[in-house]
């Protein structure tokens, strides 16, 4: 199944090269979790993240389905 | 309430506020008798301080231990060429005095720590956080919870910014991000760069939210995290809520004292995926 993952701010460093609009399309096994998507992108476990699945707040154990859009925001500190 | 009458100059100066029914003379008096603390006289603190001063917030505290550097002038609009090498709080106080002599500026040329943060925050009605590092963000968040102060948070990175409001009892920074990222995982602004104008957008939103809180009008960003992408000019809102398991403002807090995290900066430990 294909899901889209949008990574914001500091997390965009973990996007595969060449993707557009800060969005990676991942091909994952049916029923894969958010955490599994993060592993594919090699997002560090210990980096705090705000996760939206199709615009709704979820945790890393949420299950994904075909066509889902994940948006992931990190804390940023600049001022 | 026996209010001190406005001077003629004040009536003229604040006329565009006073004619707004939501502000009026009463609201303007409220602003003049309010205190706002701005943490960081940098990219975000500059526009926030300028607008709060122009709005006639009577007492503005400014915390910044640093001196003005030429590289600050690309975005830190409180400071001028003549200020390079001078303390930012001094420069800020002078700039504000030039805009509005009604405002009393209280400069704090210190590094915030668990030792001084409560004393400094205690005397203000709203806290505007425009600091540039995670240790101070977590310190100020926790202090605002302990002191029951509304906190207007803003931050920037490259072309992106975030802004929100935390009202004690309705969630805090740790409800979103329970603990700081580990050292070395997040680049600092100095290393990553920031588009200067973006500071004006986020810092002005912070100033706006602070004024609304002081006046008690409108709906604040509490419960919403606003993300701004300057390159695409997209504004996204994420609903956020108090986490009952939050380590500092949850039902069973595990953090009951202030923590001094160590300053850290560095480049991401993990490289690009090729």
């Amino acid at each position: 199944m294909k899901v889209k993952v949008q990574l914001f701010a500091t997390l965009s460093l973990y996007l595969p090269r060449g993707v557009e609009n800060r969005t990676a399309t991942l091909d994952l096994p049916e029923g894969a979790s958010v955490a599994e998507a993060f592993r594919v992108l090699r997002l560090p476990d210990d980096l705090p993240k705000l996760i939206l699945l199709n615009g709704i707040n979820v945790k890393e154990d949420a299950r994904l389905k075909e066509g889902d859009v994940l948006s992931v925001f990190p804390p940023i500190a600049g001022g | 309430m026996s209010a001190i009458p406005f001077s003629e100059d004040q009536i003229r100066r604040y006329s565009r506020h006073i004619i707004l029914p939501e502000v009026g003379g009463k609201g303007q008096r409220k602003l003049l008798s309010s205190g706002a603390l701005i943490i960081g006289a940098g990219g975000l603190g500059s526009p926030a301080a300028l607008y709060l001063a122009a709005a006639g917030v009577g007492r503005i505290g400014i915390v910044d231990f640093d001196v003005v550097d030429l590289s600050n002038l690309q975005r830190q609009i409180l400071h001028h060429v003549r200020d390079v090498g001078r303390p930012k709080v001094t420069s800020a106080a002078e700039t504000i005095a030039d805009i509005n002599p009604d405002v009393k500026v209280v400069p704090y040329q210190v590094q915030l720590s668990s030792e001084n943060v409560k004393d400094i925050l205690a005397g203000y009605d709203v806290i505007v956080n425009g600091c540039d590092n995670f240790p101070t963000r977590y310190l100020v968040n926790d202090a605002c919870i302990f002191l029951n102060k509304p906190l207007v948070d803003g931050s920037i990175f490259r072309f992106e910014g975030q802004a929100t409001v935390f009202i004690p009892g309705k969630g805090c920074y740790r409800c979103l991000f329970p603990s700081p990222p580990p050292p070395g995982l997040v680049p600092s602004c100095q290393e990553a760069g920031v588009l200067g104008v973006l500071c004006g957008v986020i810092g002005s939103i912070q100033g706006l939210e602070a004024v609304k809180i002081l006046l008690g009008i409108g709906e604040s960003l509490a419960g919403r995290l606003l993300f701004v992408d300057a390159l695409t000019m997209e504004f996204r809102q994420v609903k956020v809520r108090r986490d009952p398991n939050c380590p500092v403002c949850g039902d069973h807090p595990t953090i009951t004292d202030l923590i001094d995290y160590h300053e850290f900066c560095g480049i991401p430990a993990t490289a690009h995926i090729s």
Side-chain angles (χ1 to χ4, degrees):
Chain A
M1 65 170 183
K2 287 202 162 60
V3 298
K4 288 190 168 153
V5 186
Q6 300 181 313
L7 300 180
F8 291 86
T10 47
L11 295 178
S12 59
L13 294 164
Y14 295 94
L15 286 167
R17 282 187 198 279
V19 300
E20 282 183 11
N21 200 20
R22 66 168 89 249
T23 306
T25 303
L26 304 184
D27 204 346
L28 298 171
E30 289 297 323
S33 67
V34 171
E36 288 169 73
F38 288 177
R39 271 197 287 280
V40 170
L41 290 165
R42 298 187 208 173
L43 289 185
D45 287 341
D46 49 359
L47 196 61
K49 310 166 193 79
L50 198 64
I51 310 161
L52 300 188
L53 176 55
N54 304 322
I56 296 166
N57 289 59
V58 295
K59 306 244 165 171
E60 292 198 23
D61 57 2
R63 296 283 158 191
L64 300 168
K65 59 181 190 326
E66 172 76 26
D68 277 346
V69 179
L70 265 181
S71 313
V72 192
F73 299 89
I76 55 177
Chain B
M1 167 175 141
S2 62
I4 304 161
F6 289 120
S7 68
E8 266 184 57
D9 270 359
Q10 282 180 320
I11 290 171
R12 194 176 313 153
R13 172 183 286 274
Y14 303 117
S15 58
R16 303 303 194 275
H17 270 171
I18 293 170
I19 58 173
L20 292 170
E22 293 81 356
V23 182
K26 199 176 159 199
Q28 189 60 52
R29 275 205 185 82
K30 220 187 233 176
L31 291 179
L32 284 164
S33 61
S34 295
L37 182 72
I38 299 178
I39 297 168
L44 299 174
S46 286
L50 288 170
Y51 272 118
L52 292 181
V57 172
R59 206 161 35 86
I60 299 181
I62 300 184
V63 187
D64 204 310
F65 69 91
D66 215 353
V67 296
V68 179
D69 182 84
L70 192 57
S71 67
N72 300 150
L73 302 189
Q74 162 256 20
R75 64 195 181 285
Q76 302 183 11
I77 56 177
L78 271 172
H79 316 297
H80 302 85
V81 174
R82 62 172 178 273
D83 299 316
V84 170
R86 303 174 70 213
K88 287 187 176 178
V89 289
T90 308
S91 162
E94 288 177 7
T95 303
I96 288 172
D98 279 347
I99 291 172
N100 191 347
D102 286 346
V103 179
K104 177 180 167 19
V105 176
V106 186
Y108 301 93
Q109 198 186 352
V110 294
Q111 176 110 48
L112 280 184
S113 72
S114 60
E115 297 292 309
N116 60 20
V117 69
K118 279 189 183 174
D119 285 343
I120 293 175
L121 266 59
Y124 294 91
D125 303 300
V126 64
I127 313 302
V128 178
N129 199 353
C131 76
D132 65 354
N133 63 82
F134 282 114
T136 308
R137 277 187 196 282
Y138 281 84
L139 182 72
V140 169
N141 175 72
D142 297 355
C144 283
I145 293 296
F146 297 146
L147 295 171
N148 200 28
K149 301 278 181 194
L151 171 62
V152 184
D153 194 82
S155 53
I156 43 157
F157 175 79
R158 290 169 51 86
F159 299 97
E160 290 166 80
Q162 303 177 354
T164 188
V165 169
F166 298 115
I167 305 288
K170 295 181 177 175
C172 78
Y173 196 69
R174 286 189 193 267
C175 295
L176 311 181
F177 305 112
S179 54
L185 216 51
V186 177
S188 72
C189 252
Q190 202 179 339
E191 295 153 45
V194 61
L195 192 70
V197 188
L198 174 63
C199 300
V201 176
I202 301 295
S204 299
I205 287 172
Q206 290 183 268
L208 183 52
E209 290 297 292
V211 166
K212 280 163 57 189
I213 288 169
L214 293 175
L215 290 171
I217 62 169
E219 282 171 45
S220 80
L221 273 175
R224 293 178 288 162
L225 183 54
L226 178 70
F227 286 89
V228 178
D229 182 341
L231 282 184
T232 56
M233 204 47 95
E234 283 179 292
F235 287 63
R236 286 182 174 79
Q237 286 187 28
V238 178
K239 272 194 188 157
V240 292
R241 62 179 84 85
R242 177 177 167 268
D243 180 358
N245 298 313
C246 173
V248 70
C249 81
D251 296 338
H252 305 285
T254 51
I255 297 170
T256 52
D257 259 326
L258 295 167
I259 301 171
D260 287 304
Y261 291 103
H262 293 294
E263 177 68 271
F264 42 70
C265 49
I267 52 166
T270 312
H272 277 282
I273 301 163
S274 45

